[in-house]
Amino acid sequence: MEVLGIDIGGTGTKGGLVNILTGEMVTERFRLDTPQPSTPTAVIETAAQVVQHFNYKGAIGCGFPAIIKKGTAYSAANIDKSWIGTNAGQLLQDATGCVCHVCNDADLAGIAEMAHGAGKGENGVVLMITIGTGLGSALFINGELVPNTEFGHFYLKGMDVIAEKFAAASSKKKNDLTWEQWADRFNQYLKMINRLFSPDLVILGGGGSKKFKKYEHLLLENLRIKPAEMRNNAGIIGAAIYAYQQSQK
Ligand code: BGC
């Protein structure tokens, strides 16, 4: 069974067909830039182009970088503010003619890693952090997702910006940081996360997980940390799994 997963991010909109049983992508991923300004009309048009690329007709899963309840966005940190209160699921459904299931992007990446990747068989408190334009989070307790956590939005001690402005992949690029400088920032974030949640495992995903080897040795040692096995494709794979699960209800 193959389902289309789409991952709308602050910078890129990506998609691919996923084998639901194995959790593997069965196509190359297709990526378009997320339009700027990232208004609902422009972003939905781009996501619909991804659907067209695969000439797909069926249920679609879609990750979106915001708090999502029943398809509606309740925040908009790295996406146009006009998304707040907009039903992304309905818009995508209208644009594609397919049934669309939309959920927070990091939650979907976490679902994929728990089912088939670095979190498989892991109990206790597992936290997935996606490192990209922002910092996304997905919290699992004994395998159960606690939806819509926004752990990239904590304030770090002594700072007047939220954690993602300081430690996401975009801040490394924007401030031209070396891996050492960025890892120092990210460790401050991890220390706070550890103090607040004592996770049994932290999985690092998003675009930043592709470069895990470059900073692995620089990360805090008293935390169990693994890179996402599906790297940056976890969001697409989780979206497809989510659509399949929802369509079975
Ligand atoms: C958003 C989250 C999202 C994360 C990763 C944050 O800015 O608030 O909802 O999961 O970026 O895209």
Side-chain angles (χ1 to χ4, degrees):
M1 166 107 201
E2 289 170 8
V3 174
L4 180 63
I6 298 182
D7 184 12
I8 299 175
T11 313
T13 297
K14 306 132 256 178
L17 284 177
V18 176
N19 177 321
I20 293 306
L21 292 179
T22 61
E24 281 164 350
M25 299 227 341
V26 294
T27 58
E28 287 289 305
R29 85 187 200 150
F30 179 65
R31 181 192 183 282
L32 294 172
D33 283 345
T34 299
Q36 304 299 335
S38 49
T39 56
T41 314
V43 170
I44 291 296
E45 201 180 304
T46 303
Q49 281 172 28
V50 174
V51 180
Q52 270 161 27
H53 171 84
F54 291 100
N55 196 17
Y56 178 84
K57 301 264 171 285
I60 296 172
C62 180
F64 194 79
I67 296 169
I68 298 283
K69 289 188 174 194
K70 296 193 176 132
T72 296
Y74 284 84
S75 66
N78 287 306
I79 200 95
D80 197 80
K81 300 286 173 252
S82 58
W83 272 102
I84 297 174
T86 300
N87 190 320
Q90 191 60 52
L91 286 188
L92 193 55
Q93 202 151 300
D94 294 345
T96 59
C98 299
V99 175
C100 296
H101 302 280
V102 179
C103 192
N104 173 265
D105 57 351
D107 283 355
L108 293 182
I111 285 174
E113 287 294 325
M114 293 303 284
H116 297 287
K120 195 170 175 188
E122 292 281 350
N123 279 314
V125 177
V126 178
L127 179 63
M128 167 116 189
I129 299 171
T130 60
I131 307 166
T133 315
L135 286 179
S137 59
L139 179 66
F140 293 85
I141 299 170
N142 293 330
E144 257 322 287
L145 173 71
V146 181
N148 286 313
T149 57
E150 286 285 346
F151 296 170
H153 289 240
F154 281 121
Y155 284 88
L156 292 171
K157 196 173 170 209
M159 290 174 203
D160 59 3
V161 290
I162 55 173
E164 71 175 10
K165 297 271 174 248
F166 179 70
S170 52
S171 83
K172 179 177 184 300
K173 200 168 166 196
K174 189 170 157 205
N175 300 298
D176 208 9
L177 303 178
T178 61
W179 283 111
E180 283 74 14
Q181 288 167 326
W182 175 79
D184 179 58
R185 289 182 171 206
F186 195 68
N187 279 338
Q188 293 181 49
Y189 176 64
L190 286 178
K191 258 186 211 158
M192 183 200 56
I193 287 288
N194 197 22
R195 199 175 310 131
L196 294 177
F197 301 101
S198 302
D200 297 299
L201 171 66
V202 174
I203 303 172
L204 298 183
S209 63
K210 287 187 284 189
K211 306 267 171 69
F212 187 71
K213 286 267 168 282
K214 299 228 186 246
Y215 59 84
E216 178 181 13
H217 60 289
L218 301 168
L219 293 178
L220 277 193
E221 282 172 8
N222 59 344
L223 255 180
R224 200 170 148 238
I225 300 176
K226 288 188 190 176
E229 283 178 17
M230 298 159 203
R231 298 293 198 263
N232 203 18
N233 287 336
I236 297 173
I237 295 168
I241 295 173
Y242 179 69
Y244 177 72
Q245 288 170 346
Q246 293 300 308
S247 59
Q248 296 301 300
K249 282 187 178 166

